[in-house]
């Protein structure tokens, strides 16, 4: 039986299992050691008048098991008859070296004894699941090339389970991001993962690989794969291009903390590409006919070539270094395809002082988001020329994070002359604290936007966390006196009759 054999496979440690009983809850410590029968301590489950857990619907029980590792799920088989058979129907399997043997996280490499034991246990369990449907498999382990044959057997077994999501981490301990300031160490010892191992996984749609060298095969065709995420991965020259040729229907590609070659060509069927904190790359050439969204975060300046991206509309760019702002609002703006409608630019304290006064024209841009991070003492008025270089801009979102400037904004320079804008409809100003410079910038927009409908001013700000996700952070609240003062200074300044200023 699957359950009885599954209990024999794994060497368990102490675990707390909470049983709901009528009138009270009792915590029972269960020791399900290898080769031993279960022993109950600190309470007696026979005192329970009723087991509420076993009365839960099937979908609830399955959801509980889906959040457990295989080892913990196997332990639940001793709770009752209903739990005993539930383990065999888990749609998700999670294996992790550290959990199985109780190894502390700081001991981030298992010894050969545990590695062999882990391999044997997982292989036996995967064989028991033959013929069953498992939609999600997650494995975290730390063995290298010496176990390549056993790993091949793993992949063969997984391919027969109908897996749709596969997570493989070749490092079971401390994460070491890979980028320019922290290059890969002992890269010759990294596990080499070949996409050829997935050639029989006809149902696989989502693949995540962590801490390995990714290799492709010319003869591999992964028709079902839709998303590929590479974390802390070493990509050798031409490997990414071969991956694109193997993944015939890939939609999303994410590369985070990866070590990349000098130049990359983005091609294939991808519609969305994300680069985050990758190192080694200096040039990206985009040749993707279906690419709709492109997002990048690099530790140094990277040159972009938009060779063939007829569908590209959304771009997010975050480059480090003093030359980033002049490049983004210079050559990058000039080369950006005309059909791009939404642009998000992130700048830090060390970069914002290089924000150029004169910029290239964004002729077709409809949405612009400027994320200004840790910009202490930055004069927000300096970004006012943006309206003049974005003639079709309809939505402007300015986010200031932790800004402390409280200057008057107009005591040194002459007042700003409005640049009449015929398309701007909505402006959001996050991190607004009512300083003189901020009010002067708000007045400038009100006097420039001929068809403005709404302006939102909020002390809260949102931080962009990647992949289209924003995290809202509450800033210092404006008191009633400050709010009234801001309202008085902005009252009657709007040139648009329909403009409404909302101070949150």
């Amino acid at each position: 039986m699957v359950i009885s054999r599954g209990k024999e496979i794994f060497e368990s440690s102490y675990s707390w299992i909470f049983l709901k009983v009528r009138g009270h809850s009792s915590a029972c410590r269960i020791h399900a050691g290898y080769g031993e029968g279960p022993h109950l301590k600190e309470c007696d489950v026979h005192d329970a008048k009723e087991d509420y857990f076993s009365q839960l619907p099937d979908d609830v029980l399955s959801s509980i098991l889906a959040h457990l590792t295989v080892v913990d799920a196997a332990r639940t088989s001793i709770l009752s008859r209903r739990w005993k058979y539930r383990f065999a129907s888990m749609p998700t399997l999670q294996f992790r070296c550290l959990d199985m043997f109780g190894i502390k996280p700081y001991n981030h490499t298992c010894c050969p004894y545990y590695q062999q034991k882990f391999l044997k246990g997982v292989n036996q369990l995967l064989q028991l699941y033959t013929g069953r449907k498992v939609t999600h498999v997650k494995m975290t382990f730390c063995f290298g090339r010496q176990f390549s044959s056993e790993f091949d057997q793993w992949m063969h077994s997984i391919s027969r389970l109908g897996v749709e999501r596969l997570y493989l981490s070749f490092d079971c301990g401390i994460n070491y991001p890979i980028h320019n300031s922290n290059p890969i160490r002992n890269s010759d010892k990294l596990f080499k993962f070949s996409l050829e191992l997935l050639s029989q996984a006809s149902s696989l749609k989502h693949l995540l690989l962590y801490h390995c060298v990714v290799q492709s095969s010319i003869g591999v065709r992964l028709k079902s794969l839709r998303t590929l995420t590479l974390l802390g991965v070493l990509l050798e020259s031409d490997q990414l291009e071969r991956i694109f040729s193997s993944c015939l229907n890939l939609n999303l590609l994410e590369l985070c903390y990866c070590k990349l070659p000098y130049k990359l060509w983005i091609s294939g069927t991808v519609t969305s590409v994300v680069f985050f904190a990758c190192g080694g790359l200096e040039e990206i050439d985009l040749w993707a006919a279906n690419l709709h969204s492109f997002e990048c975060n690099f530790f140094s300046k990277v040159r972009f070539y938009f060779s063939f991206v007829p569908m590209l509309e959304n771009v997010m760019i975050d480059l480090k270094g003093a030359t980033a702002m002049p490049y983004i609002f210079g050559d990058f703006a000039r080369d950006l395809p005309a059909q791009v409608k939404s642009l998000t630019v992130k700048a830090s304290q060390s970069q914002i002082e290089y924000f150029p006064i004169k910029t290239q024209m964004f002729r077709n841009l409809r949405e612009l988001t400027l994320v200004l991070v840790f910009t202490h003492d930055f004069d927000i008025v300096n970004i006012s020329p943006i309206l003049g270089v974005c003639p079709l801009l309809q939505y402007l979102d300015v986010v200031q994070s932790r800004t402390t400037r409280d200057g008057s904004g107009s005591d040194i320079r002459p007042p700003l002359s409005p640049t009449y804008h015929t398309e701007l409809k909505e402006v959001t100003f996050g991190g607004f604290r009512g300083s003189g410079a901020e009010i002067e910038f708000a007045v400038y927009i009100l006097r420039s936007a001929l068809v403005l409908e709404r302006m939102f001013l909020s002390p809260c700000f949102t931080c962009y966390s990647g992949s289209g996700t924003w995290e809202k952070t509450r800033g210092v609240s404006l008191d009633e006196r400050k709010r009234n003062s801001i309202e008085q200074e902005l009252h009657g300044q709007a040139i648009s009759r329909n403009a409404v200023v909302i101070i949150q």
Side-chain angles (χ1 to χ4, degrees):
M1 184 178 291
V2 173
I3 301 304
S4 60
R5 290 193 60 191
K7 290 167 59 179
E8 295 174 0
I9 290 173
F10 298 103
E11 187 173 45
S12 305
S13 61
Y14 284 101
S15 169
W16 285 93
I17 297 180
F18 293 88
L19 300 177
K20 290 285 187 180
V21 296
R22 177 175 296 176
H24 69 282
S25 299
S26 57
C28 303
R29 195 172 193 179
I30 299 178
H31 180 231
Y34 179 79
E36 301 178 21
H39 303 283
L40 302 182
K41 297 182 179 181
E42 303 184 16
C43 73
D44 187 355
V45 295
H46 296 294
D47 293 337
K49 297 181 180 180
E50 190 171 356
D51 179 8
Y52 287 114
F53 270 170
S54 294
Q55 296 181 15
L56 294 173
D58 290 346
D59 57 343
V60 175
L61 297 183
S62 297
S63 177
I64 293 173
L65 290 175
H67 289 79
L68 301 178
T69 63
V70 174
V71 177
D72 290 332
R75 292 169 183 158
T76 65
S77 63
I78 66 174
L79 296 179
S80 68
R81 291 182 179 179
R82 192 165 177 223
W83 278 95
K84 182 177 182 180
Y85 295 104
R86 182 60 49 186
F87 167 69
S89 62
M90 287 179 62
T92 301
L93 297 179
Q94 300 185 57
F95 305 94
R96 190 167 182 255
C97 289
L98 301 184
D99 295 333
M100 184 173 295
F101 305 113
I103 301 174
K104 300 299 182 181
Y106 51 80
N107 295 328
H108 58 276
T109 301
C110 298
C111 68
Y113 170 77
Y114 287 128
Q115 292 175 347
Q116 290 282 6
K117 204 172 187 65
F118 179 74
L119 283 165
K120 181 181 178 180
V122 173
N123 268 328
Q124 291 181 13
L125 186 63
L126 288 177
Q127 292 174 12
L128 294 176
Y129 269 81
T130 301
R132 300 179 181 272
K133 176 70 174 181
V134 179
T135 59
H136 186 188
V137 174
K138 182 177 180 179
M139 295 186 177
T140 305
F141 44 87
C142 53
F143 56 82
R145 299 180 185 178
Q146 65 270 30
F147 298 108
S148 58
S149 60
E150 289 88 347
F151 183 76
D152 292 352
Q153 186 177 348
W154 274 14
M155 292 297 99
H156 180 69
S157 299
I158 289 175
S159 297
R160 296 180 297 177
L161 298 179
V163 175
E164 296 181 359
R165 293 180 176 272
L166 179 60
Y167 176 109
L168 297 175
S169 172
F170 295 86
D171 180 15
C172 61
I174 302 174
N175 298 335
Y176 292 104
I178 301 170
H179 49 73
N180 285 342
S181 61
N182 187 17
I184 295 177
R185 298 177 180 177
N186 299 323
S187 59
D188 58 326
K189 295 183 179 180
L190 290 179
F191 190 91
K192 290 190 175 182
F193 181 87
S194 174
L195 293 182
E196 189 172 358
L197 296 172
L198 302 173
S199 58
Q200 302 301 317
S202 58
S203 60
L204 186 62
K205 296 180 180 179
H206 311 282
L207 174 63
L208 186 149
L209 300 173
Y210 174 72
H211 206 261
C212 62
V213 179
V214 178
Q215 296 179 322
S216 59
S217 177
I218 298 177
V220 175
R221 294 293 181 266
L222 303 177
K223 297 181 180 180
S224 62
L225 193 64
R226 296 295 185 269
T227 69
L228 176 61
T229 301
L230 305 179
L231 302 177
V233 165
L234 173 62
L235 275 179
E236 299 175 344
S237 180
D238 298 331
Q239 286 297 338
L240 186 59
E241 291 77 16
R242 295 179 183 177
I243 290 175
F244 284 131
S245 65
S246 298
C247 305
L248 302 180
N249 296 293
L250 190 66
N251 292 330
L252 171 63
L253 173 67
E254 294 181 304
L255 298 99
C256 306
Y257 303 109
C258 294
K259 185 68 174 180
L260 305 176
Y262 170 84
K263 186 172 183 177
L264 285 181
W265 283 266
I266 304 297
S267 58
T269 61
V270 288
T271 59
S272 181
V273 175
V274 177
F275 287 89
F276 182 80
C278 294
L281 187 63
E282 296 186 20
E283 293 184 5
I284 296 180
D285 198 348
L286 302 176
W287 278 89
N290 299 325
L291 188 63
H292 181 267
S293 175
F294 180 73
E295 177 181 325
C296 59
N297 171 296
F298 292 108
F299 287 93
S300 59
K301 177 182 174 181
V302 176
R303 177 83 186 196
F304 298 88
Y305 297 94
F306 301 94
S307 297
F308 184 67
V309 282
M311 303 295 291
L312 184 62
E313 291 189 354
N314 304 311
V315 176
M316 184 275 177
I317 184 169
D318 178 9
L319 303 179
K320 302 298 185 289
T323 61
M325 291 300 102
Y327 169 68
I328 293 174
F329 291 94
D331 293 344
F332 181 83
R334 180 198 63 206
D335 298 335
L336 200 65
Q339 79 277 0
V340 173
K341 297 178 180 179
S342 174
L343 175 64
T344 299
V345 179
K346 189 173 181 179
S348 63
Q349 169 68 35
S350 60
Q351 298 172 303
I352 203 65
E353 60 183 286
Y354 298 100
F355 197 94
I357 298 177
K358 295 182 179 181
T359 70
Q360 291 286 337
M361 185 74 72
F362 293 93
R363 297 188 181 277
N364 295 286
L365 204 61
R366 303 297 199 277
E367 301 178 18
L368 176 62
T369 299
L370 298 176
V371 184
L372 312 177
V373 184
F374 300 106
T375 49
H376 302 280
D377 295 324
F378 172 67
D379 191 345
I380 191 65
V381 176
N382 289 341
I383 70 171
S384 57
I386 285 293
L387 293 185
V389 298
C390 302
L392 299 183
L393 192 67
Q394 296 179 355
Y395 302 94
L396 174 63
D397 192 355
V398 178
V399 181
Q400 286 191 116
S401 172
R402 302 188 184 182
T403 301
T404 59
R405 181 180 177 87
D406 292 314
S408 63
S410 60
D411 53 347
I412 298 177
R413 59 174 176 273
L416 294 172
S417 299
T419 300
Y420 295 113
H421 201 287
T422 60
E423 301 292 330
L424 191 60
K425 297 179 180 180
E426 185 174 300
V427 175
T428 300
F429 194 162
F432 183 88
R433 300 175 61 186
S435 69
E438 291 171 343
I439 292 176
E440 183 179 2
F441 179 65
V443 169
Y444 170 77
I445 294 177
L446 291 172
R447 292 178 177 178
S448 301
L450 300 178
V451 296
L452 186 68
E453 298 175 0
R454 290 177 297 274
M455 174 182 284
F456 296 92
L457 305 176
S458 173
C460 301
F461 57 89
T462 53
C463 296
Y464 191 73
S465 56
S467 300
T469 303
W470 294 81
E471 296 180 359
K472 191 171 185 178
T473 305
R474 179 164 296 278
V476 180
S477 301
L478 299 174
D479 57 39
E480 193 65 24
R481 181 178 179 181
K482 185 66 173 179
R483 186 186 300 272
N484 293 335
S485 174
I486 296 172
E487 289 178 349
Q488 292 178 4
E489 293 193 66
L490 300 183
H491 180 71
Q493 298 289 349
I495 194 173
S496 172
R497 294 181 179 181
N498 299 323
V500 176
V501 178
I502 302 172
I503 304 175
Q504 299 177 337

